[in-house]
Amino acid sequence: TLSAEGELLFKAFGNANDDFHPDAHACRLKITLSCIESTDELPWDITIECAKYIIKYDRLAASCVVDDEEEHQLLSNETWIVEDDSHPLHDATKIYYYIIVKNHCEALCAINSLEGASDEKFNFCQEVSCHHPPRADTSNWPFFMDNTAFGESYSRISEVESADDWNGLFSRIELPAQQDFVAGQQVVVPFAAY
């Protein structure tokens, strides 16, 4: 545990949480690594810092890059890293950050599993799980279309449930004949229409 002054200084690091430079995320992760066994609460959300570090990785200064082993140690810490809704720190508004961290952790595990393999047994096609945010149960997003460009109102949404419905939608569109095409004029083709 920290002394009163040390705790005050440590909490003061939180005043820099609005610094979104890639190196700032990396520095916060390095500080986190030094405190990984501590029971003291960190003044930032570790999962979010990891996600922002991963997203901005290609813009990091070389001196700020976290070693792969340390990164794996950090990402596999179940106390601080949120990966699903069963974690006590879970916040549904940050689901995309959680997915980024979870996918990156899966990739690191796959890379680490290859390190001990000899060149003869090296498998260039490593299988890795890829996670995505859940879709809302109320949305049939791929099957909705916006027909306002064709003069229909916003209140009418066409739902496509089968191939026949799809073909029926195209039968209502009158396309210009081949001789009506003029160079430079935009023409609606069936795929662009929907």
Side-chain angles (χ1 to χ4, degrees):
T1 59
L2 297 170
S3 66
E5 292 98 4
E7 191 173 327
L8 186 62
L9 286 171
F10 192 68
K11 287 185 179 180
F13 282 131
N15 294 332
N17 284 347
D18 60 352
D19 183 355
F20 299 113
H21 191 278
D23 295 344
H25 298 302
C27 289
R28 285 190 278 272
L29 291 185
K30 289 188 178 214
I31 292 169
T32 301
L33 281 165
S34 68
C35 304
I36 204 158
E37 299 298 326
S38 172
T39 57
D40 295 320
E41 187 177 333
L42 294 167
W44 48 76
D45 185 329
I46 308 302
T47 308
I48 302 304
E49 289 301 321
C50 287
K52 290 181 179 182
Y53 170 85
I54 294 163
I55 291 167
K56 301 174 184 181
Y57 184 83
D58 60 337
R59 293 181 292 281
L60 286 168
S63 60
C64 292
V65 174
V66 177
D67 182 65
D68 284 346
E69 290 177 16
E70 290 177 330
E71 190 176 355
H72 186 263
Q73 178 186 7
L74 186 62
L75 293 176
S76 58
N77 185 312
E78 295 176 2
T79 305
W80 288 340
I81 299 298
V82 179
E83 288 190 346
D84 55 39
D85 57 0
S86 65
H87 197 282
L89 298 175
H90 181 267
D91 178 356
T93 62
K94 300 176 181 176
I95 188 74
Y96 294 100
Y97 291 117
Y98 302 156
I99 298 298
I100 289 167
V101 170
K102 192 171 187 175
N103 284 334
H104 190 70
C105 190
E106 292 277 351
L108 280 177
C109 288
I111 290 167
N112 289 342
S113 70
L114 295 175
E115 285 182 359
S118 65
D119 289 339
E120 297 134 13
K121 295 181 181 178
F122 192 79
N123 182 2
F124 287 101
C125 298
Q126 181 70 15
E127 188 173 318
V128 178
S129 297
C130 185
H131 307 277
H132 58 84
R135 287 201 175 156
D137 294 335
T138 60
S139 172
N140 292 328
W141 169 76
F143 304 109
F144 287 124
M145 60 185 181
D146 181 359
N147 294 324
T148 56
F150 304 108
E152 294 188 29
S153 66
Y154 273 108
S155 61
R156 181 159 188 249
I157 297 176
S158 300
E159 189 169 336
V160 178
E161 295 179 355
S162 67
D164 292 333
D165 289 349
W166 182 260
N167 291 331
L169 290 171
F170 287 121
S171 66
R172 289 188 266 158
I173 299 175
E174 290 185 33
L175 297 175
Q178 185 69 29
Q179 63 270 18
D180 294 339
F181 281 51
V182 178
Q185 183 179 2
Q186 185 177 3
V187 177
V188 177
V189 295
F191 192 73
Y194 295 95

